[in-house]
Amino acid sequence: MTTTPVISIKNLTKTYQMGEVAVHALRSVSLNINAGEFVTVIGPSGSGKSTLMHILGCLDQPTSGQYFLDGKDVSHLSDDEISSVRNSKIGFVFQGFNLLTRTSALENVELPLLYSSTPVSASERRNRAMAALEAVGLGSRYEHHTNQLSGGQQQRVAIARALLNNPSILLADEPTGNLDSRTSVEVMDIFQSLKEDRGITIVLITHEPEVAAYGSRIVAFKDGLIVSDELNEQRRTARGELAELPVAVEETA
Amino acid sequence: MLTTSLRIAQKALKRNKLRTGLAILGMTIGVAAVLTMFALGTGAQESVSSDVKSAGTTLIFVRSGNFTRGGEESRIPTGLGSTNSLVPADADAIAKIDGVKYASANLRERTWVETSNQRFYTQVIGVDVNHPKAYGWGFPKGKFFKSDDVASAAQVAVIGTTLRDHLFGDENPVGKEVMLHNQSYKVVGVFEARDEDQGEYAIIPYTTAQKVLGTSSIQMVTVSAEQAGDTTRISDAIKALLRKRHNLDKAVPAPGAPSALGGLQAPGLGGGANPDDFTVKTQASEALTKGLNTSVAAFILANMPQMDQTNSQEMAGTLSRAGSTMTALLAAIATISLIVGGIGIMNIMLVSVTERTREIGIRRAIGARQSDVLQQFLVEAVTLSVFGGVFGIAIGFIASFVITNVLHWPATISITAVALAFGIAAVTGVFFGFYPARRASQLSPIDALRYE
Ligand SMILES: Nc1ncnc2c1ncn2[C@@H]1O[C@H](COP(=O)(O)OP(=O)(O)OP(=O)(O)O)[C@@H](O)[C@H]1O
Ligand SMILES: [Mg+2]
């Protein structure tokens, strides 16, 4: 393809200096991701997956190497420009959710609109956040504080928040880590339809090969290096699987 | 965005009420101190300026006797106004001094003034004909008595407007009679004075007063100078004149051992001659010592070098110097308490930033700019300080009220002072909130997110 990749990294390294010891979280990683790809990143714990994801999400800077987002070198962007990229271009689902505590689910989901470059009225913020919560099946829990929600529910709040500003890139770090198998499939269904219907580029981290199998391309990590990168021929489709799964009755939803 | 920051601040501050309350308390004390300081400053300034206004007048009071205690030993008459060292001729001589406009011989007494159905206890003052001119009295009814009346010690009186109201109500008293010491006096006029106290007085010829009191001396001479700035020179001239007239400069025994107060002078002592048997005071010095115990006043005047000779400008200078020393002291206290309050806010904000590091990380990860984070924490700090400001203003009002009504110090709160106190509170919030807010905004998003 001649189109510029959405994400392009070249010889990326990240080294943490822990006193005397240098921890090489990433050792020269190069990767191109095109628009509309659903890339799953798999690898053992500590292999540098989250580190890569933080750099892709413009939350962290590499020790060396380059990162082009939509063809632009991120290291040349100002802090305000990077903030704006994080706000509107990228949706991030963190490994540890990272929701505001003692704050309602609705307010958490609203957050990206609070910082969007074009002001959004309070009522519109609320409407859009409600819609996003309903899309992840939490419409009835919007007033609950995040610490009153189960792990899976929190994860879904985090997904709703990541999707609120209609990002063109979705970065998800173990989004199914806390979910039971049925809800996992539901989340995968959301992701797959985002890719199919809206053409969103997705990078998803997991260490379960079964989850990785939902992606269109699987990248395997080990010790800060890419050990394999191939298109997934036996893609699982969540939609079809859901139809076969027995409908689970969630406690009080 | 600002309303959002306000809402976030409100929520964050409500979360830890005690801590918020204590931070606000610190600020409250600071602002209350500032406002009270201003109130006292303004009050002092107002009273100084009213003193100085009276200091600008042209009057000089010459009284018989002196403050000097122990005067008995040097055989000089003591007790202000209670001696017979001044005579009408002294007043006449003073009137001839260059620059003196009027000199009026005075005697005074407190007694009952009666009509057939009313009586009122007040000051009866014997004066000379030009006395009303010295004070600028007006005569809404009748006229002042004439020099003939003074020469003949006539039983005539003019009364102040307040006294008229007490004795005659709405009636015109001119031509009516009042009783003084069971003697009948004909009312020839009603005078209107600028000084409210004088409205109660009954005024009779000084010669008549001498007759009533059975004396040929007078208690006081009210002197009016041509020019306000000239009172110092005239006071000196009066002193010299009276010392000469009273033969005080003749050599006498040495005036006793040096004072036990170590260089502090007893009033009126000087030059190894007899002390003055009279007192010359300008209205300026009168204003300064008004309301003070006589001996205290004497001591102050004796130890403020040449107080009596001090002209009105110097007076004003002295008073405002005293005032600015006071103001500087209060300003220092207020500033210190403001700084302490501000540091309290800064401390709370630093704790808050540390506690909410993860929150900052989350907001940054979701697209908050550094300026958004800065604003959020600044708004929080300013909210604290502004609440402190509001409570401080309330407490400042109460404090000023108490100071005015219990301590009887003048304290005036002006709108400017309130606005200023409020402004200072807000500025303190910004100033002391800036460092923590900036620290928050400079956190790296990923480090903030990882913070435990
Ligand atoms: N802030 C840090 N300081 C020091 N070392 C770090 C830091 N963050 C990550 N590392 C190290 O970098 C390596 C990669 O970490 P990373 O979080 O990317 O792993 P991961 O692949 O996401 O693992 P997991 O699957 O358990 O989430 C690890 O060895 C980790 O200890
Ligand atoms: Mg990880």
Side-chain angles (χ1 to χ4, degrees):
Chain A
M1 273 201 275
T2 52
T3 51
T4 43
V6 178
I7 289 169
S8 171
I9 52 176
K10 293 201 171 75
N11 306 322
L12 217 59
T13 70
K14 181 76 185 179
T15 309
Y16 294 105
Q17 198 64 44
M18 306 293 289
E20 300 285 288
V21 199
V23 179
H24 298 282
L26 295 175
R27 316 163 188 257
S28 193
V29 176
S30 298
L31 186 70
N32 285 333
I33 298 173
N34 292 317
E37 276 195 287
F38 185 162
V39 179
T40 50
V41 178
I42 190 159
S45 184
S47 57
K49 307 183 296 294
S50 295
T51 304
L52 173 71
M53 199 69 124
H54 291 144
I55 294 170
L56 293 184
C58 299
L59 291 165
D60 206 355
Q61 288 83 41
T63 309
S64 71
Q66 286 169 300
Y67 171 24
F68 297 94
L69 183 63
D70 279 339
K72 267 183 263 166
D73 191 335
V74 170
S75 67
H76 293 158
L77 298 180
S78 73
D79 193 83
D80 279 5
E81 285 167 328
I82 289 177
S83 298
S84 156
V85 165
R86 284 198 293 256
N87 181 249
S88 52
K89 188 172 276 183
I90 298 172
F92 214 117
V93 181
F94 293 93
Q95 191 165 15
F97 319 142
N98 278 331
L99 299 174
L100 292 182
T101 51
R102 286 183 281 191
T103 304
S104 73
L106 187 72
E107 281 177 280
N108 264 287
V109 176
E110 273 183 5
L111 273 184
L113 292 177
L114 219 55
Y115 299 111
S116 73
S117 48
T118 47
V120 182
S121 76
S123 60
E124 196 193 333
R125 281 205 300 268
R126 202 188 141 85
N127 290 341
R128 280 173 63 179
M130 277 304 292
L133 276 173
E134 266 155 24
V136 294
L138 276 177
S140 58
R141 299 286 169 91
Y142 67 96
E143 267 188 326
H144 283 233
H145 281 192
T146 47
N147 44 323
Q148 297 162 340
L149 294 172
S150 73
Q153 287 166 337
Q154 289 183 42
Q155 198 132 38
R156 281 183 279 165
V157 172
I159 293 169
R161 184 179 68 186
L163 294 175
L164 196 70
N165 249 351
N166 297 322
S168 53
I169 301 167
L170 182 66
L171 305 175
D173 196 347
E174 307 255 9
T176 56
N178 287 275
L179 302 181
D180 58 68
S181 54
R182 185 188 161 85
T183 334
S184 297
V185 180
E186 280 173 355
V187 167
M188 285 303 121
D189 180 38
I190 294 172
F191 283 14
Q192 282 187 329
S193 53
L194 280 170
K195 170 193 151 54
E196 301 301 333
D197 306 344
R198 293 206 228 154
I200 291 182
T201 312
I202 299 171
V203 181
L204 182 148
I205 291 177
T206 180
H207 51 248
E208 296 167 62
E210 308 86 71
V211 176
Y214 289 100
S216 60
R217 175 178 165 192
I218 302 175
V219 175
F221 257 73
K222 196 169 184 226
D223 291 336
L225 284 169
I226 295 177
V227 289
S228 81
D229 179 356
E230 45 203 33
L231 293 178
N232 183 15
E233 305 300 344
Q234 295 100 30
R235 241 179 99 202
R236 291 173 67 182
T237 44
R239 183 73 41 92
E241 288 170 20
L242 270 179
E244 282 157 34
L245 277 170
V247 177
V249 184
E250 206 183 327
E251 328 81 69
T252 52
Chain B
M1 195 57 226
L2 194 65
T3 50
T4 315
S5 296
L6 272 172
R7 239 195 40 239
I8 297 171
Q10 181 201 346
K11 227 172 121 175
L13 294 175
K14 269 190 188 162
R15 201 165 283 173
N16 208 326
K17 293 203 180 70
L18 179 64
R19 202 164 76 185
T20 302
L22 288 175
I24 289 179
L25 181 66
M27 205 56 214
T28 302
I29 293 170
V31 171
V34 169
L35 192 64
T36 314
M37 182 272 289
F38 271 115
L40 279 173
T42 316
Q45 222 163 50
E46 278 173 6
S47 72
V48 166
S49 63
S50 74
D51 286 352
V52 170
K53 255 180 238 145
S54 64
T57 60
T58 55
L59 296 182
I60 301 162
F61 307 107
V62 183
R63 290 186 178 84
S64 63
N66 205 329
F67 301 112
T68 320
R69 284 137 299 163
E72 296 85 355
E73 286 139 50
S74 32
R75 288 179 309 285
I76 63 135
T78 57
L80 206 52
S82 63
T83 66
N84 49 16
S85 57
L86 279 179
V87 291
D90 289 332
D92 295 339
I94 289 169
K96 292 198 186 80
I97 292 176
D98 205 27
V100 171
K101 206 170 182 184
Y102 311 112
S104 161
N106 301 157
L107 291 99
R108 57 180 70 209
E109 187 200 8
R110 294 194 70 91
T111 185
W112 290 99
V113 181
E114 298 169 82
T115 61
S116 50
N117 50 7
Q118 294 290 336
R119 53 193 231 138
F120 192 73
Y121 190 76
T122 187
Q123 289 237 35
V124 176
I125 308 182
V127 307
D128 209 342
V129 280
N130 45 29
H131 197 86
K133 293 181 202 139
Y135 277 105
W137 289 345
F139 285 86
K141 286 276 182 326
K143 289 199 185 73
F144 200 59
F145 47 73
K146 301 281 178 315
S147 34
D148 287 352
D149 298 317
V150 177
S152 65
Q155 299 205 331
V156 289
V158 294
I159 60 177
T161 43
T162 317
L163 183 57
R164 186 262 323 263
D165 294 343
H166 280 291
L167 297 179
F168 296 98
D170 294 337
E171 284 175 63
N172 181 359
V174 175
K176 299 223 165 77
E177 306 266 296
V178 290
M179 302 293 286
L180 286 168
H181 293 292
N182 291 322
Q183 300 257 0
S184 164
Y185 286 72
K186 186 174 160 203
V187 178
V188 294
V190 176
F191 70 91
E192 197 164 50
R194 277 185 230 132
D195 182 346
E196 274 179 40
D197 292 350
Q198 294 181 347
E200 294 187 350
Y201 297 171
I203 310 293
I204 60 175
Y206 80 90
T207 44
T208 317
Q210 280 178 322
K211 215 167 65 186
V212 170
L213 295 171
T215 175
S216 60
S217 60
I218 55 174
Q219 294 165 349
M220 187 168 104
V221 185
T222 301
V223 182
S224 171
E226 302 260 11
Q227 279 168 16
D230 214 14
T231 51
T232 309
R233 186 188 60 77
I234 292 172
S235 299
D236 289 343
I238 293 172
K239 276 185 193 164
L241 177 79
L242 290 182
R243 288 187 68 80
K244 210 167 121 209
R245 288 180 59 83
H246 296 184
N247 289 321
L248 295 175
D249 286 330
K250 293 217 178 112
V252 290
S259 168
L261 291 167
L264 293 177
Q265 292 276 298
L269 279 176
N274 279 311
D276 296 344
D277 59 1
F278 57 88
T279 317
V280 181
K281 283 219 285 183
T282 58
Q283 203 171 18
S285 54
E286 197 101 301
L288 182 76
T289 53
K290 190 174 183 180
L292 290 180
N293 172 299
T294 323
S295 51
V296 174
F299 188 78
I300 288 176
L301 290 179
N303 290 296
M304 287 182 83
Q306 268 122 30
M307 187 62 225
D308 283 13
Q309 286 99 309
T310 303
N311 68 27
S312 53
Q313 282 86 350
E314 286 166 348
M315 271 278 305
T318 308
L319 288 172
S320 80
R321 266 196 303 284
S324 51
T325 309
M326 173 91 164
T327 309
L329 187 73
L330 288 166
I333 294 169
T335 309
I336 288 167
S337 36
L338 260 186
I339 290 174
V340 171
I343 290 173
I345 285 183
M346 182 145 135
N347 188 27
I348 294 299
M349 291 311 299
L350 282 173
V351 170
S352 177
V353 167
T354 308
E355 268 184 5
R356 286 153 69 196
T357 301
R358 262 181 89 84
E359 176 192 328
I360 295 164
I362 292 168
R363 289 182 188 275
R364 293 282 278 133
I366 277 159
R369 289 163 300 171
Q370 293 187 340
S371 55
D372 293 325
V373 175
L374 184 83
Q375 186 192 320
Q376 182 189 324
F377 283 92
L378 261 189
V379 164
E380 207 170 304
V382 173
T383 306
L384 280 176
S385 67
V386 160
F387 268 100
V390 170
F391 293 132
I393 286 169
I395 289 177
F397 264 101
I398 295 169
S400 304
F401 182 82
V402 169
I403 286 170
T404 314
N405 290 283
V406 180
L407 296 176
H408 300 292
W409 288 0
T412 317
I413 290 186
S414 63
I415 293 289
T416 339
V418 171
L420 206 68
F422 197 79
I424 286 175
V427 168
T428 309
V430 172
F431 186 81
F432 287 96
F434 190 77
Y435 174 68
R438 191 172 162 73
R439 240 169 89 142
S441 73
Q442 304 269 298
L443 286 171
S444 114
I446 190 70
D447 290 343
L449 274 174
R450 286 222 188 88
Y451 185 86
E452 290 302 325

